Amino acid sequence: MADFDFDLFVIGGGSGGVRAARMAAQRGARVALAEVAEMGGTCVNLGCIPKKLYSYAAHFAESFEESHGFGWVGEAPRLNWDTLKSNRAREITRLNGIYVQLLKSSGVQTLNGWATLVDAHTVDVGGQRHSAENILVATGGKPSIPEFPGSEHVISSNEMFDLSPFPQRLLVVGGGYIACEFASIFNGLGAEVTQLYRGHQVLRGFDEEVRGFIASEMVKSGVTLHLNTDVATIERSADGLQVQLLDGSHITVDSVLYATGRVPLVKDLGLEAAGVRQAKSGAIEVNDQYQTSVPSIYAVGDVTARVQLTPVALAEAMVVVDALFGPPEGKTPRGMSYDFIPTAVFTHPNIGTVGYTELEASEKFGKISVYKSDFKALKHTLSGSTERTLMKLIVEDATDRVVGLHMVGADAGEIVQGFAVAMKAGATKAVFDSTIGIHPTMAEEFVTMREALKR
């Protein structure tokens, strides 16, 4: 048996990489992890965590306004952008330290630097080579910005958290969840936000009714939405960035955010030299065990471009650890199912969804029943807000199983997480109907809907 420096060498200190390194080390493996940036990856440093913190901040403006209907008087406080930035940075630094400590306490050797594959069992970090029986690539992804006249003036989601000064006029280009979230956040923080998307409606891939509903709510809250158009050119002037659109219109803004997708972070990893097969997009191709075309090299998370969600990367990492080092005592090796993965979009209001869209369900199951409720939440009977909530259930007629659940409304992610467990377990509409609701809550609506539309 070959003598290697490590049993597992992990490239990337994001969610998937850290989870795999920690769990493998706790099972007695000799593990090293290389990361060139701060620990925690995109989620901790430039994604989920700071974005959710800014979403909380943005909600305060509407909360102050809505409080008047409940008897609170006086002017709302003003946002201090620098204070928000500095408090966020302090929290992220704290989380970075926690990740470092978790790895250290697990016995993982961490290396700071860019790691490059040399061959099937060798990694180079800063000119020093390390051998490993197995290698895991978990480098994640990065924002993708197209080239066009003036593209040098735009920024990606990576730069949004530390903009200086605060952009009073912001153009968001894109229709995915990152674009919609930032449009909602900065609108809530007080910017004049315009969102631009070349498609017919935002949030491609989500349920059609959800897409239309959230677009309407965002516009109602102050976001200016332009569909079926794109940027032609951008020029800098004394008054700001002059943005010319393909439809002939013109916008002047302070900042332009391009949130038009993410691509796998694979440049200079040495994948070709090591013989690792990639898709045209650059994504690393893997099998059900996340093994690449080179048997000793594995890949998980966004670098494989399967489902780009932090919890998915964590779950994939555990499949690899169980396959290489065995499951915990008394447990069977984990597998990964991509069915009924719940997700949330932190727009204002939030979106929570799990399972199939109405169109997907119709195509897959044939006859379905759709239950829908569109209402004003109890809170807003006094708040003065015109915000509405949408809830939707999709049921397969042949089995009565609930195969799709969608919500647009306050705390949608928190509500849908619980229902995702029931759906993963195969809950039927009859089970939903027999479940007692918690009153008065919005969540109870999911167990009280009785009238269906047959599709």
Side-chain angles (χ1 to χ4, degrees):
M1 184 175 178
D3 184 20
F4 298 107
D5 298 330
F6 300 99
D7 300 312
L8 177 67
F9 195 105
V10 179
I11 302 176
S15 301
V18 169
R19 174 63 62 87
R22 286 179 55 218
M23 295 299 106
Q26 288 178 8
R27 293 179 195 179
R30 299 169 301 156
V31 183
L33 182 148
E35 172 58 65
V36 71
E38 298 293 339
M39 287 294 179
T42 297
C43 179
V44 168
N45 295 288
L46 298 166
C48 322
I49 302 301
K51 190 168 56 181
K52 187 70 181 289
L53 290 173
Y54 279 24
S55 179
Y56 284 135
H59 274 295
F60 279 107
E62 62 190 30
S63 295
F64 290 134
E65 183 64 29
E66 291 168 358
S67 71
H68 299 319
F70 291 88
W72 293 90
V73 297
E75 294 185 8
R78 294 179 296 105
L79 171 70
N80 187 312
W81 175 237
D82 289 334
T83 297
L84 174 59
K85 290 193 296 181
S86 109
N87 287 348
R88 179 219 86 236
R90 184 173 63 251
E91 172 58 13
I92 300 307
T93 299
R94 186 186 72 84
L95 293 175
N96 295 149
I98 289 175
Y99 271 72
V100 170
Q101 186 56 42
L102 286 172
L103 291 168
K104 183 179 179 181
S105 63
S106 299
V108 177
Q109 181 177 333
T110 57
L111 306 170
N112 182 250
W114 187 265
T116 304
L117 294 169
V118 177
D119 56 40
H121 294 284
T122 310
V123 179
D124 182 287
V125 183
Q128 185 173 355
R129 294 191 173 188
H130 308 269
S131 63
E133 184 172 2
N134 292 287
I135 298 167
L136 174 64
V137 181
T139 49
K142 64 176 183 178
S144 174
I145 297 177
E147 290 189 6
F148 60 90
S151 60
E152 68 273 14
H153 299 303
V154 311
I155 57 178
S156 74
S157 56
N158 288 356
E159 291 80 52
M160 290 302 292
F161 302 106
D162 279 306
L163 288 177
S164 183
F166 180 85
Q168 297 298 330
R169 302 166 297 177
L170 174 67
L171 173 63
V172 177
V173 181
Y177 72 93
I178 295 176
C180 291
E181 287 175 334
F182 275 115
S184 282
I185 288 168
F186 277 83
N187 176 61
L189 292 176
E192 181 184 311
V193 177
T194 300
Q195 185 175 356
L196 185 71
Y197 181 49
R198 64 185 180 182
H200 80 277
Q201 188 54 276
V202 296
L203 292 175
R204 181 168 58 90
F206 285 74
D207 185 85
E208 284 295 324
E209 279 190 287
V210 168
R211 298 173 72 187
F213 193 89
I214 190 59
S216 174
E217 290 297 312
M218 289 174 65
V219 169
K220 203 162 60 177
S221 70
V223 175
T224 299
L225 181 61
H226 291 288
L227 300 171
N228 297 308
T229 189
D230 206 345
V231 172
T233 64
I234 299 177
E235 294 182 355
R236 185 174 294 281
S237 73
D239 187 39
L241 296 174
Q242 307 299 325
V243 184
Q244 190 71 35
L245 306 186
L246 291 178
D247 63 10
S249 59
H250 173 272
I251 306 171
T252 302
V253 295
D254 302 308
S255 297
V256 178
L257 164 63
Y258 253 76
T260 51
R262 294 176 62 84
V263 295
L265 185 55
V266 293
K267 185 179 180 182
D268 297 329
L269 278 180
L271 296 172
E272 291 184 5
V276 176
R277 189 178 303 122
Q278 297 171 256
K280 288 183 179 180
S281 65
I284 298 175
E285 296 183 349
V286 294
N287 62 18
D288 290 343
Q289 297 297 310
Y290 306 100
Q291 194 173 38
T292 71
S293 55
V294 179
S296 59
I297 300 177
Y298 294 74
V300 298
D302 290 4
V303 76
T304 68
R306 285 188 168 185
V307 177
Q308 298 180 28
L309 295 170
T310 294
V312 169
L314 296 173
E316 291 174 348
M318 292 311 303
V319 172
V320 173
V321 172
D322 281 3
L324 293 178
F325 306 107
E329 187 175 350
K331 302 288 186 180
T332 57
R334 267 170 274 210
M336 180 66 192
S337 169
Y338 294 93
D339 290 334
F340 299 105
I341 294 175
T343 189
V345 185
F346 297 107
T347 45
H348 295 191
N350 294 174
I351 299 171
T353 181
V354 58
Y356 296 90
T357 67
E358 183 177 335
L359 179 60
E360 290 169 343
S362 180
E363 292 175 346
K364 182 176 179 64
F365 302 110
K367 292 184 178 180
I368 60 172
S369 295
V370 177
Y371 298 79
K372 186 177 70 171
S373 183
D374 174 346
F375 59 94
K376 177 184 283 191
L378 175 63
K379 174 184 177 181
H380 298 314
T381 60
L382 295 187
S383 74
S385 171
T386 60
E387 179 181 292
R388 296 189 67 79
T389 296
L390 172 69
M391 290 183 167
K392 187 172 181 179
L393 290 177
I394 300 164
V395 178
E396 180 191 9
D397 284 355
T399 63
D400 195 44
R401 184 180 180 183
V402 179
V403 295
L405 184 148
H406 310 276
M407 175 179 175
V408 183
D411 299 316
E414 304 289 347
I415 292 171
V416 170
Q417 177 67 82
F419 283 103
V421 177
M423 291 177 62
K424 191 75 174 177
T428 62
K429 184 62 169 64
V431 169
F432 272 59
D433 291 345
S434 66
T435 301
I436 303 299
I438 300 173
H439 185 73
T441 66
M442 287 191 293
E444 71 175 320
E445 194 72 18
F446 276 128
V447 298
T448 59
M449 288 189 273
R450 296 292 186 267
E451 294 188 14
L453 297 173
K454 297 293 183 180
R455 302 294 198 218

